[in-house]
Amino acid sequence: MNKNDLKVISFLAYKNISKSKATFFVIVAVMAMSFLSITFFAAIIDGLGYEFEEGMIRGLTGHLMIEPSADSRYLENADSMVGKIKKIPEVVGVSKRVEASAVATHKTIQLGVPIFFVNPDDERQVSRFSESVVLGDYLSRKDNAELIIGTDLVEAYTREDDAKKSLDVTVGDTIQLSFSNGMVKEYKIKGIFKTGSQFSDNNILINYDDYEDIFHESDVASAILVALPSRGREEEFTRKIIDLGVTDQINPWQSKMGKVKQFIGSLQITNTITGVVGLFTAFATIYIIIFINVTNKRKQIGILKAVGIKKEIILGSYVLQSLIYGVAGVVIGIIAMQGLIALLTVYPLSMPIGNVVPILTTNRLVTTAITLILASIVAWFFPSKKAANDNILEAIFGG
Amino acid sequence: MNKVIISAKKVERIYSNGIVRTYALKDVSVDIQQGEFVAIMGPSGSGKSTLLHQLGLLDNPTNGSILIDGEDVVQLSDDTRTRFRLEKLGYVFQSYNLIPELTALENVYITPMARGMPEEEYTAKAKEMLTKVGLGDRMDHYPSELSGGQQQRVSIARALVNKPKILFADEPTANLDSDSSADTIRLFRQLNKEIGQTIVMVTHEENEGKQADRIIWIKDGIIDKAKK
Ligand SMILES: Nc1ncnc2c1ncn2[C@@H]1O[C@H](COP(=O)(O)OP(=O)(O)OP(=O)(O)O)[C@@H](O)[C@H]1O
Ligand SMILES: [Mg+2]
């Protein structure tokens, strides 16, 4: 194979493609659509999984969750710890929480509810509650005897067929909370929030100051949540927090996923299976189209051989064509996919678990792109190799 | 003028389709001189095309030997035969067999291009050939935009552009009207006279055969010695 051969190869490939533009567009469109169909579904699933995790992170765990070691119930000196961690550069937010439970009473309904006592300002940087208020207002710094409540606890927002009990309340109503220490207190509902995550929407948030009033303990926390600039930097920041002298458990969000992990794991298995099936389907489609196309070129291949064009050049020109088809299809597929993602980022799919934005990982993009291009090359290679090895006379005169 | 350029000895070509064996050529020996214009004639199915394909390296005999320009071409590898065709042989087929994706000009220059000739040179050569066959004004037409006679002239230009040692033609006029047919044969005759082009042509037309230097008659896969 020398430079001149490459010239003839490119010349033949160019002529073949430019002389059958319709075929070119059909094949490229099929490849692009295959790319889209494989990656789009996967990206939605990935986005769904991401959103699911995000619901946990932005509701229950933060990126890092500092918890008391096994032998103690609370973190002590929570405020100074929060203050110190906040000073670590790039840390987005730090918030202490005390988790408690109470029995909520409204009219005749009694309901056990989980409570987070939080500092409303700190919570803004760590969780989604502040931005998820659908009715009324978020907690403010000085709130006393006011709470915000998740939609899963509010009858107006729960589905009728939902077997769980809920409270027939709205903003402005008063409910009674009985705490484990026997304390009973009336609270006014200041706001109703819906984060979209089932892990958060069945909670009640109350100002941390109230916790001190009710339990007469201060400066404690059942957990401190740390929000980082992005996922994937958990270890780095864990080290920085340890360097501050924190001896409590520092758990990355991943270790808190439990059921979510299984759920997402099964999503990913589904994803892999549909991905493989999709690739096979795409491969078969591409193979058939290209096979027919190359079969139609059998005579051309025969003539080229008859007039003395060597096999390597003929094959080379077909491999080059397949590369061009493959790359063009994949590139257009990627552009269309990025367009779709951009569109869905602006107008996310509103799913029950929250707003899902499709996520196309580089890994999946590259795998799909390479597989499709390879599929295209294989689909061209075998039929054209067969044609190039065929008896010249049969190829030309159709035996 | 009397150098033997093709020497075929006891050439046999059997087609086997499963259990059916067709003796297309049984035992054909011919010598063709350099600069000779030879016509191959005979009834339909007698083996004319088969013989031309053996001599033109488009097929392989099941037995016998063929020397072209002193080289035993039957023994050559596939790749070497391909190069041999590119460098030494030219073909004109009954059904033109142009490449539909290439223009007239490109159809003609694809082989010199493959031989590594520089672009200006092969373009000039192809233009010159097309002008010679009277298609100077149709060079950028695709085969589908040309009449049968014009396509045949493109294929003649393609066959001659590399100045082949031998030009093979299988019923080059079968699809042409009588004027175009006469033109084609006249062109062959002229090439043969002017540059000493060796031509081996299969034909059904007796008057075409008569214009050749010699007629080789074939019947049932063997040389028909009864005809002269
Ligand atoms: N690929 C093939 N497989 C089987 N038999 C074949 C094949 N090609 C040709 N034949 C047979 O070989 C014999 C000679 O065929 P050939 O094409 O050489 O005849 P021809 O003299 O060129 O005839 P025509 O004048 O009709 O073109 C015929 O009997 C034909 O049926
Ligand atoms: Mg014939």
Side-chain angles (χ1 to χ4, degrees):
Chain A
M1 190 83 41
N2 57 39
K3 225 178 111 199
N4 190 65
D5 290 354
L6 288 176
K7 177 179 166 186
V8 182
I9 286 172
S10 327
F11 173 71
L12 286 173
Y14 165 74
K15 289 304 291 188
N16 268 320
I17 289 178
S18 65
K19 195 65 175 113
S20 38
K21 293 199 184 69
T23 313
F24 178 78
F25 287 125
V26 168
I27 296 181
V28 167
V30 167
M31 299 230 16
M33 284 187 290
S34 304
F35 182 88
L36 261 187
S37 71
I38 293 168
T39 53
F40 185 72
F41 181 72
I44 290 282
I45 296 284
D46 281 348
L48 200 72
Y50 183 89
E51 186 54 33
F52 226 80
E53 291 170 346
E54 202 63 9
M56 280 283 280
I57 294 170
R58 309 269 287 151
L60 297 187
T61 66
H63 289 110
L64 294 175
M65 190 177 192
I66 304 172
E67 292 175 285
S69 38
D71 50 343
S72 45
R73 210 156 74 84
Y74 290 120
L75 297 164
E76 308 285 344
N77 299 321
D79 286 327
S80 88
M81 207 188 292
V82 167
K84 280 194 279 185
I85 297 171
K86 273 184 182 169
K87 290 212 182 73
I88 299 176
E90 290 191 83
V91 162
V92 173
V94 188
S95 181
K96 65 173 179 186
R97 285 179 179 179
V98 174
E99 284 178 43
S101 56
V103 175
T105 312
H106 177 74
K107 295 180 186 164
T108 56
I109 308 274
Q110 284 204 325
L111 201 58
V113 291
I115 314 264
F116 289 156
F117 291 97
V118 299
N119 175 334
D121 281 346
D122 283 348
E123 201 62 30
R124 280 178 198 277
Q125 270 80 53
V126 171
S127 64
R128 281 176 175 166
F129 297 111
S130 64
E131 63 210 47
S132 307
V133 174
V134 290
L135 198 66
D137 294 300
Y138 180 61
L139 296 175
S140 57
R141 207 167 298 160
K142 287 278 171 259
D143 276 332
N144 184 260
E146 287 189 323
L147 57 76
I148 60 172
I149 184 169
T151 46
D152 285 0
L153 296 174
V154 179
E155 197 177 288
Y157 292 91
T158 49
R159 295 213 320 267
E160 264 171 38
D161 56 349
D162 206 329
K164 276 187 292 184
K165 274 207 284 189
S166 52
L167 303 166
D168 181 18
V169 292
T170 186
V171 170
D173 289 352
T174 302
I175 60 174
Q176 197 184 60
L177 295 182
S178 321
F179 295 96
S180 54
N181 63 352
M183 178 97 172
V184 177
K185 190 170 171 180
E186 300 258 317
Y187 281 87
K188 204 173 110 190
I189 296 178
K190 185 174 186 193
I192 298 174
F193 62 84
K194 179 176 177 62
T195 63
S197 166
Q198 63 173 87
F199 309 111
S200 311
D201 287 344
N202 60 350
N203 283 301
I204 284 178
L205 264 65
I206 301 178
N207 199 308
Y208 188 87
D209 296 342
D210 262 48
Y211 177 74
E212 296 182 346
D213 286 354
I214 296 162
F215 291 92
H216 309 294
E217 281 174 303
S218 60
D219 209 10
V220 297
S222 42
I224 291 177
L225 274 55
V226 183
L228 303 180
S230 65
R231 294 185 183 185
R233 300 178 65 181
E234 291 80 12
E235 272 184 46
E236 171 191 345
F237 282 91
T238 302
R239 274 196 305 275
K240 289 181 180 170
I241 295 171
I242 290 172
D243 289 346
L244 294 174
V246 172
T247 54
D248 306 283
Q249 291 188 53
I250 306 171
N251 295 314
W253 61 271
Q254 289 93 336
S255 69
K256 294 276 153 195
M257 287 295 141
K259 279 263 159 53
V260 175
K261 210 187 221 161
Q262 288 177 8
F263 172 70
I264 289 172
S266 50
L267 278 187
Q268 272 157 358
I269 292 171
T270 317
N271 229 0
T272 309
I273 294 171
T274 42
V276 171
V277 172
L279 279 177
F280 269 113
T281 323
F283 181 86
T285 318
I286 293 165
Y287 192 90
I288 290 167
I289 295 181
I290 291 177
F291 187 88
I292 293 169
N293 192 269
V294 174
T295 308
N296 285 337
K297 303 286 183 193
R298 193 165 170 237
K299 183 163 177 175
Q300 185 207 84
I301 292 172
I303 298 168
L304 285 171
K305 264 176 74 179
V307 299
I309 307 296
K310 51 182 174 183
K311 226 159 52 185
E312 290 80 10
I313 291 184
I314 298 172
L315 258 182
S317 93
Y318 278 86
V319 169
L320 179 60
Q321 286 176 61
S322 68
L323 256 179
I324 294 171
Y325 279 79
V327 170
V330 164
V331 165
I332 291 175
I334 290 175
I335 293 171
M337 183 66 192
Q338 300 295 3
L340 256 179
I341 291 180
L343 190 74
L344 289 170
T345 308
V346 183
Y347 306 103
L349 294 173
S350 178
M351 295 198 177
I353 68 149
N355 286 339
V356 173
V357 173
I359 295 172
L360 181 56
T361 57
T362 317
N363 188 8
R364 187 175 319 277
L365 188 147
V366 171
T367 319
T368 313
I370 289 178
T371 316
L372 284 184
I373 292 172
L374 279 182
S376 161
I377 293 178
V378 170
W380 285 89
F381 187 76
F382 287 104
S384 38
K385 190 178 159 82
K386 187 177 172 300
N389 282 330
D390 257 0
N391 180 290
I392 296 174
L393 299 170
E394 276 177 24
I396 297 184
F397 301 109
Chain B
M1 243 311 195
N2 37 20
K3 179 189 164 203
V4 174
I5 189 153
I6 303 177
S7 175
K9 294 258 178 313
K10 295 181 175 304
V11 171
E12 173 202 85
R13 178 63 167 101
I14 304 171
Y15 290 108
S16 324
N17 294 335
I19 45 165
V20 187
R21 286 157 68 86
T22 312
Y23 284 76
L25 290 178
K26 284 169 192 154
D27 176 2
V28 174
S29 299
V30 284
D31 278 355
I32 292 168
Q33 310 288 320
Q34 183 164 347
E36 213 179 357
F37 180 1
V38 176
I40 300 175
M41 296 191 71
S44 179
S46 56
K48 305 181 293 293
S49 296
T50 307
L51 177 60
L52 194 80
H53 296 152
Q54 312 309 309
L55 303 180
L57 269 60
L58 294 173
D59 193 17
N60 250 331
T62 41
N63 221 330
S65 76
I66 300 171
L67 297 185
I68 294 183
D69 214 9
E71 199 162 349
D72 182 352
V73 292
V74 177
Q75 303 306 323
L76 297 178
S77 74
D78 227 32
D79 290 348
T80 321
R81 284 162 64 90
T82 303
R83 177 137 29 88
F84 198 98
R85 287 197 298 272
L86 180 69
E87 285 168 1
K88 303 200 168 158
L89 310 179
Y91 305 88
V92 177
F93 301 99
Q94 175 183 337
S95 48
Y96 327 132
N97 284 327
L98 297 176
I99 292 168
E101 287 81 6
L102 304 183
T103 62
L105 186 66
E106 292 162 345
N107 261 291
V108 176
Y109 73 49
I110 184 74
T111 53
M113 181 193 217
R115 294 177 67 173
M117 201 180 270
E119 184 167 347
E120 317 82 69
E121 217 174 304
Y122 64 64
T123 317
K125 275 226 154 104
K127 283 184 176 164
E128 181 196 321
M129 279 323 300
L130 281 168
T131 311
K132 198 178 266 177
V133 297
L135 284 176
D137 55 344
R138 292 282 191 281
M139 301 205 243
D140 294 326
H141 285 55
Y142 284 92
S144 59
E145 300 159 355
L146 295 172
S147 75
Q150 290 168 332
Q151 289 185 58
Q152 192 59 299
R153 281 184 274 161
V154 175
S155 86
I156 293 169
R158 174 180 67 186
L160 295 173
V161 70
N162 289 325
K163 301 212 178 333
K165 283 215 160 6
I166 309 157
L167 172 66
F168 292 98
D170 193 351
E171 303 194 36
T173 64
N175 288 339
L176 304 181
D177 62 35
S178 51
D179 282 354
S180 302
S181 299
D183 282 349
T184 303
I185 301 301
R186 206 174 301 128
L187 182 66
F188 281 7
R189 191 69 265 184
Q190 183 192 342
L191 281 164
N192 174 257
K193 280 233 171 70
E194 286 175 5
I195 60 167
Q197 179 68 54
T198 310
I199 301 174
V200 182
M201 175 182 78
V202 171
T203 182
H204 262 126
E205 305 294 326
E206 194 120 6
N207 64 324
E208 287 178 4
K210 276 185 192 140
Q211 300 194 47
D213 296 334
R214 171 159 68 111
I215 299 176
I216 297 171
W217 290 93
I218 302 277
K219 195 182 169 191
D220 296 332
I222 49 169
I223 305 270
D224 186 358
K225 299 225 167 71
K227 296 230 179 177
K228 206 70 235 158

